[in-house]
Every structure is written in C-alpha cells, then in structure tokens.
Amino acid sequence: MRTVAAWLAAASLLCAQPAAAPGTIAKIREEAEKRSQVMKHLHVLADRYGPRLTGSPNYEAAARWAMNQLSAWGLVNSRLEPWDFGHPGWSSERASGHFISPVRDHLVFEVMAWTPSTNGPVRAEAVLLAPPASPSKEELDAWLNENAPRIKGRIVLLGRPREIPVSFAATQKRMDDEAVKRRLEARGGPPMRAQQPKTEPGRLTPQQVNAAIDPWLIAHGALVKVLDSGMPHSTIRAFQNRTYDITKSIPAVYLRNEDYGRAARLIESGEKVEMEFDIVNRTHLGTTTWNVLADIPGSEKPEEVVMIGAHLDSWHAATGATDNATGVAVMMEAVRILQALQLRPRRTIRIALWSAEEQGLLGSKFHVEHNYGTFEQPKPAFGNLVAYLNLDSGTGRIRGASVFGPEEAAAMVRAALEPFRDAGVAGAAPSSSRREGGTDSTSFSSAGLPAIGFFQDPIEYFQQTWHTNLDTYERAVPEDLRQASAVIAAAAWQLANSDQRLPRFTSETMPAPATPAPPVTQ
C-alpha cells in the first residue's frame, strides 16, 4: 500500500504542473490539425527513401534528408551521430522468380537480407526437405548426411508449408475503452513479442539448426534456399542472415505461403518442379552508420533535455512506412509545430532518430552508453535527461503511455496528457521494468533513465504490416498521425516547461538491472 505521504507527494506534483496554458495547447492542436505536414514527411521517408535498412544507401540518404530538414526548420546543432554498426551495408536491387514446370507462373517472394546474389538467372529442380524439429546434434548430423546427395545443383525448399486456417474475423482497428483501461492497468507500453518456447536440454534450438544448415547448403552445392513466409494473403515477413556475411549463406528468399504450399504439394504428388530465380543484391563497404539529432535549445536550462525519438531504419520487404516512418514523421512534425508556433522551451527539446533498431536497438543503445551511462555507472550528463519519449507501434492514434519511474512520474505525464482525453488518450501508468527489448525506449529504461513509451491503436500493425511486404504509405491513417503529432508536441512542451522535473527512482527505489538475455547462437 502507498503511504499517505506518497499520495500527498503525487497530489502536490499534479498541483505544481504549470503545464502549457490552455491557449498554447489549443494552438498546438490547431497547427497539427489544420496545417499538418506529417503525411508529407511520411511520403518522403517511405516513398523516396524506403526501405531504410541500416547500412544501405537509402538509410544514409534518409538520415541526411532528416538532418537538413530539421536544420531548415530552425533547430540548432542538427547533426549525424556516427557509430560503428560492425557489419557492411546491404541492399537488394532486383529479384524475380518463376515456376518453370510443370506449370508456368511467377513467384511472389522477398529476399533475405545480407545474402548473396544468384549467378545470373538460376534454373533448377526444387526439392522439399523438412529438418527435424528440436533434434539432438547427433540426429541433425544424421539428417544432414542422409540428405546431402539430394541438394547439389538444386533449389531447396526448407520445411513443411505452414497450414493457415481460414479466418472470418475482422482485423482489429481500434481498442475500446475497456481494452485501453486494461493496458494501463498492465502498466501500458507496447505489447511484447511472443517469447520462443524453451528448448529441452540436449536438444538444438531453431537458431542452432539454421546455423548448421547454411554451411551444409554451401558445402554441398545448393543454389537457392527457399523458406515459407508462413503468413496468409501473400503477406511476407522478411529478416536477415544472422551472420551478416554473404559468404556464409547461399541466395535465400521468403516465398509467399500460397506459392510455397503449391510447390510442396506438386513435389509430394510426384511432379518434377522446376523454378528460376534471378536475384541482384549489393553489399556496401564501410560499417559506420548514424543517428540523427537536433535541438530546440532551452531558454533557461539548456543543459536539461526532454528528448523525443523514433527509429529511422526499417526492414527491406517494403518501404518501412508503419515501422517506423510513421514514428519518425510524428516526431519531426512535433518539433515543426513547436517551431512554427515560435515556442521557446525553458529546457532543451531534442529530437533523436535511431539507426539499427531492427538489429537490436543498437543506435539508441550506443547513444545511451556513450552519453549517459547507467544508474550504476553514470556519466556526467546522466542527471540532465528529464525524459525520453518514444513512438514505435504503427499508425494508430496514441491511447496512453508507460512511464519508467515512480507513480509520481506517471501522475505528471498523466497531467500532461489530460488535455487530449477528448482525443482518446486515457492516461499513463508507471513501470519499473529494466528489461531491454522491443523498442528504443527500453535502451533508456534499462539504463535507469526516465523513458516514456506510448501505446497506440493496433490498426493492422502486428498482424499485417510489421516487418512485411505490406508496410507502405497506403497503410497509414492521416488523422491518427495528426493526433499523435499534437500529443507528442504538447507533452514534450509541458515537460520542458514544468517547474518540477519528472520524478525519478531514488537509489533506494531504483529496480535492479535486468539479467541480460543469453546470446543467440549463430
């Protein structure tokens, strides 16, 4: 139970909030609604510079465009923060595939990132092989030895096709009030990804099986690796060769479930299935990538910073619109709104656009480690970060927030969001989790820094657009992005102008750091 003193402290914080004057909030909302440029930003990020895979020319071009645009709006010290990604860049220039026999048809697929090109058009018989599930090392070795003679000069389909039941359920677009309430009671924040089931002792994980199969394919002369996308309606979710080294993989693709199932059924019915692939990928020398930073300087306490951010990088199957050009467009629009209204904050408002979020939050982790350190080993600037605000859950309108900090911090954020209750924003809940993962706000909270993660209406995000070939401009909802832009601009403005800073955990109440997850075996 909370003590009376704690309740009184929370109440005093609420009373202390100067917040923005109602007139300022109204001006922010009017600018966001009537003169919005958020869809223009999204168009440039997705249509012109998408996809923005870390290390690719598109990512660098998008970063430089964002830096220049922020500078043009009058933000100061607009800059690229370089850091070493540790891997060369990669991009796919073009790719085509076809059934050659017993039918003639085109194939729908996406290339696996950081895999090599084919040697021109490659035409060969396809074989279907299903590696054992959770094998011991001895069982996997036996399977590899048994099937080695079957793959030389072949296109290899790996795994049984996934059977996806037909569903007549409508896609969830909005959370009702009860769902939002449940999310807040569960401490808000973006929904966590499903955890992989644990592997029994003595059995190999899927990652370990894949790590053994790739060199086996190379050694025995396979031509192309084909994986089932495992999603309905021609949706394809594409990731990367985990080694980031094209010499350790053969050309590899994710084939839509409908084509993969068709090929598998033809092969199993005794037909000789021939396919053709023509894939042109590029590796880009150099391992440096960049975060983008720019400031609206504080008039009274410029050393104290309210930071807003989103990740600029994307995967490569589409143009990275809802993951996360929408978040970047909203954050850019928020600072544009403040600049257009000529609002001068007492504290510095900084925008940060991160690289390599998709590879493990690497850009934001670098920034936190390089600039702030951790609660246990702080750098001089550790105490100057008032809050970090993050957006990374698609196109849906903001419905609430999770605040890493005590209840008093959540109360302060709740007060800042209160003017948007009529726009569907329900409030904020405290969080004490220092677990890293999911999105860039956890790079801050895992270090013990005050981080605010917003949750949004799901629209089509996790079921359809997240990391898939459907993640394009067309899937964005303009009115939702206008709402989010106003919410972020107003929240950042209020935190930057409050008489009191966002409360933090003390040395007595700071949660212990989370135990790092074990490294994934390549």
Side-chain angles (χ1 to χ4, degrees):
M1 293 180 62
R2 302 191 64 201
T3 65
V4 173
W7 282 110
L8 290 174
S12 67
L13 273 170
L14 286 170
C15 294
Q17 295 315 301
T24 302
I25 297 292
K27 289 177 182 178
I28 287 173
R29 295 185 71 162
E30 181 182 27
E31 181 70 23
E33 186 61 36
K34 295 185 177 179
R35 290 174 287 280
S36 175
Q37 295 185 27
V38 70
M39 296 304 292
K40 177 182 177 182
H41 314 328
L42 181 66
H43 156 65
V44 175
L45 290 162
D47 295 338
R48 178 62 181 85
Y49 294 121
R52 302 170 306 282
L53 192 67
T54 296
S56 69
N58 273 15
Y59 178 84
E60 181 177 352
R64 294 189 182 281
W65 169 79
M67 176 186 68
N68 292 333
Q69 183 62 77
L70 294 167
S71 181
W73 288 334
L75 278 76
V76 304
N77 198 20
S78 183
R79 61 207 183 272
L80 300 180
E81 178 183 53
W83 60 277
D84 186 5
F85 178 44
H87 309 290
W90 179 94
S91 59
S92 182
E93 285 193 1
R94 63 181 184 273
S96 62
H98 296 84
F99 279 115
I100 301 302
S101 67
V103 295
R104 300 187 72 85
D105 204 348
H106 71 283
L107 298 170
V108 178
F109 65 94
E110 296 294 336
V111 177
M112 180 183 288
W114 282 279
T115 56
S117 307
T118 57
N119 186 18
V122 171
R123 180 180 296 187
E125 182 180 352
V127 296
L128 177 67
L129 299 177
S134 301
S136 66
K137 185 179 184 305
E138 293 74 20
E139 290 169 343
L140 181 60
D141 288 344
W143 183 87
L144 294 173
N145 290 333
E146 177 186 353
N147 288 283
R150 301 180 60 190
I151 66 173
K152 183 176 178 60
R154 297 288 188 262
I155 292 169
V156 181
L157 280 66
L158 275 175
R160 298 284 312 153
R162 181 183 174 192
E163 296 182 8
I164 304 172
V166 174
S167 173
F168 297 97
T171 300
Q172 184 185 15
K173 293 186 176 183
R174 303 283 184 205
M175 288 187 283
D176 58 27
D177 291 343
E178 285 302 311
V180 173
K181 181 180 178 181
R182 289 194 297 270
R183 286 289 298 279
L184 284 171
E185 290 174 347
R187 296 298 186 255
M192 299 304 295
R193 317 286 193 258
Q195 298 297 308
Q196 292 293 327
K198 292 184 178 180
T199 302
E200 295 179 11
R203 318 302 290 185
L204 300 178
T205 66
Q207 291 85 359
Q208 290 171 319
V209 172
N210 291 336
I213 285 177
D214 280 340
W216 174 74
L217 292 170
I218 295 171
H220 295 279
L223 299 179
V224 180
K225 178 173 73 172
V226 180
L227 302 175
D228 180 8
S229 71
M231 299 184 72
H233 312 307
S234 298
T235 306
I236 300 171
R237 186 166 280 150
F239 295 104
Q240 86 279 29
N241 161 24
R242 288 180 177 271
T243 70
Y244 297 91
D245 184 345
I246 66 169
T247 68
K248 295 181 179 179
S249 173
I250 64 173
V253 304
Y254 298 90
L255 190 62
R256 70 172 174 174
N257 177 255
E258 295 83 352
D259 286 339
Y260 196 95
R262 183 185 189 185
R265 291 187 294 272
L266 287 169
I267 292 170
E268 292 183 326
S269 68
E271 299 273 9
K272 180 181 178 180
V273 174
E274 285 187 297
M275 293 177 168
E276 180 181 271
F277 288 94
D278 186 7
I279 300 169
V280 179
N281 300 327
R282 300 291 182 200
T283 299
H284 307 286
L285 298 179
T287 61
T288 298
T289 186
W290 301 268
N291 299 322
V292 183
L293 302 166
D295 297 342
I296 301 175
S299 60
E300 297 179 20
K301 302 177 179 180
E303 73 285 355
E304 295 184 7
V305 175
V306 173
M307 186 184 298
I308 66 174
H311 71 88
L312 180 59
D313 68 307
S314 75
W315 282 111
H316 58 291
T319 59
T322 69
D323 190 21
N324 186 32
T326 47
V328 172
V330 164
M331 295 304 181
M332 292 183 69
E333 177 68 357
V335 294
R336 186 203 68 80
I337 289 169
L338 298 177
Q339 289 293 89
L341 296 175
Q342 298 184 354
L343 297 175
R344 292 295 170 258
R346 297 168 66 188
R347 298 179 180 90
T348 295
I349 295 176
R350 177 169 298 155
I351 183 172
L353 310 177
W354 310 115
S355 180
E357 188 271 356
E358 300 293 6
Q359 285 70 49
L361 319 180
L362 301 182
S364 57
K365 285 172 65 176
F366 167 84
H367 182 81
V368 169
E369 292 167 5
H370 184 73
N371 293 280
Y372 299 110
T374 66
F375 180 81
E376 290 74 23
Q377 295 181 306
K379 294 194 172 182
F382 186 87
N384 289 337
L385 185 69
V386 174
Y388 170 69
L389 289 66
N390 190 74
L391 196 68
D392 183 21
S393 292
T395 188
R397 67 184 59 181
I398 290 174
R399 302 303 300 274
S402 175
V403 183
F404 180 75
E407 168 58 31
E408 294 81 5
M412 187 169 175
V413 174
R414 204 174 297 127
L417 297 177
E418 179 63 26
F420 294 89
R421 182 169 290 275
D422 67 319
V425 183
S431 169
S432 59
S433 174
R434 292 183 69 178
R435 186 158 67 101
E436 181 186 283
T439 191
D440 290 299
S441 57
T442 66
S443 295
F444 291 80
S445 57
S446 66
L449 290 160
I452 302 169
F454 292 93
F455 68 89
Q456 302 163 255
D457 279 329
I459 310 297
E460 303 164 332
Y461 189 59
F462 285 107
Q463 294 84 359
Q464 292 176 283
T465 65
W466 178 68
H467 298 172
T468 76
N469 58 326
L470 305 184
D471 190 10
T472 64
Y473 178 96
E474 287 74 14
R475 307 272 51 84
V477 180
E479 57 267 31
D480 288 3
L481 298 183
R482 293 195 295 269
Q483 180 256 22
S485 302
V487 171
I488 296 294
W493 172 255
Q494 292 176 88
L495 292 175
N497 284 276
S498 173
D499 288 337
Q500 297 187 19
R501 290 169 47 119
L502 194 69
R504 295 187 177 197
F505 288 118
T506 66
S507 56
E508 290 78 21
T509 60
M510 175 64 71
T515 303
V520 175
T521 303
Q522 297 292 343

PDB file of all heavy atoms in Angstrom, residues 379-391:
ATOM      1  N   LYS A 379      27.395   8.692 -16.381  1.00  0.00           N
ATOM      2  CA  LYS A 379      28.272   9.714 -16.948  1.00  0.00           C
ATOM      3  C   LYS A 379      27.738  11.084 -16.508  1.00  0.00           C
ATOM      4  O   LYS A 379      26.620  11.187 -15.999  1.00  0.00           O
ATOM      5  CB  LYS A 379      28.329   9.573 -18.461  1.00  0.00           C
ATOM      6  CG  LYS A 379      28.996   8.265 -18.881  1.00  0.00           C
ATOM      7  CD  LYS A 379      29.368   8.241 -20.346  1.00  0.00           C
ATOM      8  CE  LYS A 379      30.205   6.993 -20.632  1.00  0.00           C
ATOM      9  NZ  LYS A 379      30.644   6.937 -22.045  1.00  0.00           N
ATOM     10  N   PRO A 380      28.533  12.147 -16.679  1.00  0.00           N
ATOM     11  CA  PRO A 380      28.110  13.458 -16.149  1.00  0.00           C
ATOM     12  C   PRO A 380      26.725  13.904 -16.597  1.00  0.00           C
ATOM     13  O   PRO A 380      26.018  14.585 -15.846  1.00  0.00           O
ATOM     14  CB  PRO A 380      29.205  14.392 -16.667  1.00  0.00           C
ATOM     15  CG  PRO A 380      30.422  13.523 -16.760  1.00  0.00           C
ATOM     16  CD  PRO A 380      29.909  12.178 -17.209  1.00  0.00           C
ATOM     17  N   ALA A 381      26.307  13.534 -17.808  1.00  0.00           N
ATOM     18  CA  ALA A 381      25.015  14.003 -18.316  1.00  0.00           C
ATOM     19  C   ALA A 381      23.843  13.152 -17.848  1.00  0.00           C
ATOM     20  O   ALA A 381      22.690  13.447 -18.196  1.00  0.00           O
ATOM     21  CB  ALA A 381      25.037  14.037 -19.842  1.00  0.00           C
ATOM     22  N   PHE A 382      24.100  12.101 -17.071  1.00  0.00           N
ATOM     23  CA  PHE A 382      23.025  11.175 -16.690  1.00  0.00           C
ATOM     24  C   PHE A 382      21.863  11.906 -16.015  1.00  0.00           C
ATOM     25  O   PHE A 382      20.693  11.610 -16.276  1.00  0.00           O
ATOM     26  CB  PHE A 382      23.572  10.095 -15.747  1.00  0.00           C
ATOM     27  CG  PHE A 382      22.584   9.020 -15.410  1.00  0.00           C
ATOM     28  CD1 PHE A 382      22.439   7.916 -16.230  1.00  0.00           C
ATOM     29  CD2 PHE A 382      21.783   9.118 -14.272  1.00  0.00           C
ATOM     30  CE1 PHE A 382      21.505   6.918 -15.916  1.00  0.00           C
ATOM     31  CE2 PHE A 382      20.850   8.138 -13.958  1.00  0.00           C
ATOM     32  CZ  PHE A 382      20.722   7.025 -14.787  1.00  0.00           C
ATOM     33  N   GLY A 383      22.168  12.867 -15.166  1.00  0.00           N
ATOM     34  CA  GLY A 383      21.121  13.570 -14.441  1.00  0.00           C
ATOM     35  C   GLY A 383      20.407  14.626 -15.247  1.00  0.00           C
ATOM     36  O   GLY A 383      19.398  15.186 -14.782  1.00  0.00           O
ATOM     37  N   ASN A 384      20.896  14.921 -16.455  1.00  0.00           N
ATOM     38  CA  ASN A 384      20.321  16.016 -17.240  1.00  0.00           C
ATOM     39  C   ASN A 384      19.169  15.596 -18.146  1.00  0.00           C
ATOM     40  O   ASN A 384      18.483  16.453 -18.699  1.00  0.00           O
ATOM     41  CB  ASN A 384      21.404  16.676 -18.097  1.00  0.00           C
ATOM     42  CG  ASN A 384      22.392  17.471 -17.258  1.00  0.00           C
ATOM     43  OD1 ASN A 384      22.080  17.882 -16.144  1.00  0.00           O
ATOM     44  ND2 ASN A 384      23.589  17.686 -17.791  1.00  0.00           N
ATOM     45  N   LEU A 385      18.991  14.286 -18.339  1.00  0.00           N
ATOM     46  CA  LEU A 385      17.895  13.847 -19.202  1.00  0.00           C
ATOM     47  C   LEU A 385      16.602  13.845 -18.397  1.00  0.00           C
ATOM     48  O   LEU A 385      16.415  13.031 -17.493  1.00  0.00           O
ATOM     49  CB  LEU A 385      18.161  12.456 -19.771  1.00  0.00           C
ATOM     50  CG  LEU A 385      17.102  11.975 -20.775  1.00  0.00           C
ATOM     51  CD1 LEU A 385      17.178  12.784 -22.067  1.00  0.00           C
ATOM     52  CD2 LEU A 385      17.255  10.489 -21.075  1.00  0.00           C
ATOM     53  N   VAL A 386      15.707  14.765 -18.711  1.00  0.00           N
ATOM     54  CA  VAL A 386      14.436  14.866 -17.991  1.00  0.00           C
ATOM     55  C   VAL A 386      13.529  13.702 -18.361  1.00  0.00           C
ATOM     56  O   VAL A 386      12.903  13.079 -17.500  1.00  0.00           O
ATOM     57  CB  VAL A 386      13.755  16.204 -18.312  1.00  0.00           C
ATOM     58  CG1 VAL A 386      12.367  16.274 -17.686  1.00  0.00           C
ATOM     59  CG2 VAL A 386      14.627  17.358 -17.826  1.00  0.00           C
ATOM     60  N   ALA A 387      13.472  13.369 -19.654  1.00  0.00           N
ATOM     61  CA  ALA A 387      12.629  12.261 -20.113  1.00  0.00           C
ATOM     62  C   ALA A 387      12.965  11.957 -21.568  1.00  0.00           C
ATOM     63  O   ALA A 387      13.403  12.841 -22.313  1.00  0.00           O
ATOM     64  CB  ALA A 387      11.147  12.601 -19.974  1.00  0.00           C
ATOM     65  N   TYR A 388      12.736  10.694 -21.956  1.00  0.00           N
ATOM     66  CA  TYR A 388      12.802  10.298 -23.360  1.00  0.00           C
ATOM     67  C   TYR A 388      11.428   9.773 -23.757  1.00  0.00           C
ATOM     68  O   TYR A 388      10.880   8.873 -23.110  1.00  0.00           O
ATOM     69  CB  TYR A 388      13.862   9.227 -23.599  1.00  0.00           C
ATOM     70  CG  TYR A 388      13.756   8.641 -25.000  1.00  0.00           C
ATOM     71  CD1 TYR A 388      14.089   9.420 -26.107  1.00  0.00           C
ATOM     72  CD2 TYR A 388      13.264   7.356 -25.210  1.00  0.00           C
ATOM     73  CE1 TYR A 388      13.946   8.913 -27.397  1.00  0.00           C
ATOM     74  CE2 TYR A 388      13.128   6.843 -26.497  1.00  0.00           C
ATOM     75  CZ  TYR A 388      13.470   7.631 -27.584  1.00  0.00           C
ATOM     76  OH  TYR A 388      13.317   7.141 -28.860  1.00  0.00           O
ATOM     77  N   LEU A 389      10.843  10.336 -24.836  1.00  0.00           N
ATOM     78  CA  LEU A 389       9.524   9.949 -25.324  1.00  0.00           C
ATOM     79  C   LEU A 389       9.688   9.195 -26.636  1.00  0.00           C
ATOM     80  O   LEU A 389      10.341   9.697 -27.565  1.00  0.00           O
ATOM     81  CB  LEU A 389       8.638  11.177 -25.556  1.00  0.00           C
ATOM     82  CG  LEU A 389       8.116  11.946 -24.339  1.00  0.00           C
ATOM     83  CD1 LEU A 389       9.245  12.631 -23.556  1.00  0.00           C
ATOM     84  CD2 LEU A 389       7.090  12.995 -24.780  1.00  0.00           C
ATOM     85  N   ASN A 390       9.092   8.005 -26.750  1.00  0.00           N
ATOM     86  CA  ASN A 390       9.316   7.107 -27.884  1.00  0.00           C
ATOM     87  C   ASN A 390       7.999   6.713 -28.545  1.00  0.00           C
ATOM     88  O   ASN A 390       6.994   6.506 -27.871  1.00  0.00           O
ATOM     89  CB  ASN A 390      10.026   5.846 -27.390  1.00  0.00           C
ATOM     90  CG  ASN A 390      10.507   4.965 -28.532  1.00  0.00           C
ATOM     91  OD1 ASN A 390      11.489   5.301 -29.194  1.00  0.00           O
ATOM     92  ND2 ASN A 390       9.848   3.834 -28.759  1.00  0.00           N
ATOM     93  N   LEU A 391       8.006   6.604 -29.881  1.00  0.00           N
ATOM     94  CA  LEU A 391       6.817   6.165 -30.624  1.00  0.00           C
ATOM     95  C   LEU A 391       7.238   5.122 -31.649  1.00  0.00           C
ATOM     96  O   LEU A 391       8.076   5.388 -32.506  1.00  0.00           O
ATOM     97  CB  LEU A 391       6.151   7.357 -31.320  1.00  0.00           C
ATOM     98  CG  LEU A 391       4.710   7.124 -31.801  1.00  0.00           C
ATOM     99  CD1 LEU A 391       3.774   6.969 -30.609  1.00  0.00           C
ATOM    100  CD2 LEU A 391       4.240   8.255 -32.697  1.00  0.00           C
TER     101      LEU A 391
END
